[in-house]
Amino acid sequence: MAEIPRRGVLRTVLAGALAGGALALAGCSGSAILPAPDLPTTPVILDEAAAAAAISRYRASHGLGPVVIDSSLIRAASYQAEANARAGQLSHEVGGTFDARLKRAGFGGRYAAENLSAGSTTFDDVLKRWQVSPEHNRNMLMPQVKRVGVARVDAPGSRYKRFWALILSDG
């Protein structure tokens, strides 16, 4: 796989929710900034180490190295999951541009990608959804990736109820 700098890549969009509306996925970049209805939200405490281990196992099955949890990427993922939950919709731009959000979180790497999703109840469920989505799968299988941050924020009053963000980077 070719090396892809974060500034030029990851600017795709998966259009809309999958059939039946049971799950929404957003690709690698965004749509226009959405008006935020400011829905009540609840951050969910995740086992980030278990999430990193699951991603590492998946990457190993494709001949790639493991990932570790990064606190700055958790902050960035939490911020974006919260912004999407408050808006009740998925957008890579609702919390600001990807580059700006990474900079605010103290990210200093060269390669980064973001996977968003809504509706999945567990991390295993959302991981399976990302694996079958070409754009999300490509992000998880970037050879340069070494660090991840994952977050889930619930918005019970929204259509999807649960909003996920995964940020992957090289450092």
Side-chain angles (χ1 to χ4, degrees):
M1 174 175 263
E3 291 188 2
I4 304 170
R6 70 180 165 100
R7 292 191 200 292
V9 72
L10 315 172
R11 302 294 182 211
T12 62
V13 176
L14 182 63
L18 295 177
L23 172 78
L25 294 172
C28 306
S29 186
S31 57
I33 296 178
L34 302 172
D38 203 24
L39 294 170
T41 62
T42 305
V44 174
I45 297 172
L46 298 176
D47 185 345
E48 290 101 351
I55 294 167
S56 292
R57 283 190 301 275
Y58 181 63
R59 288 174 55 80
S61 74
H62 288 82
L64 298 169
V67 296
V68 296
I69 290 294
D70 181 286
S71 60
S72 67
L73 296 178
I74 290 172
R75 280 192 305 277
S78 297
Y79 179 84
Q80 191 62 10
E82 175 80 16
N84 280 270
R86 285 196 184 283
Q89 298 183 41
L90 285 177
S91 167
H92 286 274
E93 304 297 323
V94 73
T97 68
F98 185 51
D99 287 342
R101 288 185 283 109
L102 289 177
K103 187 176 179 180
R104 269 196 313 265
F107 173 77
R110 182 172 174 199
Y111 297 91
E114 177 177 70
N115 287 359
L116 300 178
S117 184
S120 296
T121 305
T122 67
F123 181 77
D124 288 339
D125 290 341
V126 77
L127 181 61
K128 288 174 190 169
R129 303 281 183 169
W130 285 330
Q131 289 169 346
V132 299
S133 164
E135 295 87 359
H136 296 93
N137 192 54
R138 184 172 39 249
N139 290 344
M140 292 190 302
L141 297 179
M142 285 175 51
Q144 301 86 355
V145 165
K146 306 248 185 285
R147 300 182 175 283
V148 297
V150 62
R152 178 180 136 192
V153 175
D154 291 353
S158 72
R159 173 182 177 190
Y160 300 110
K161 312 291 185 226
R162 290 163 296 279
F163 294 81
W164 295 86
L166 171 66
I167 299 179
L168 311 103
S169 81
D170 64 338

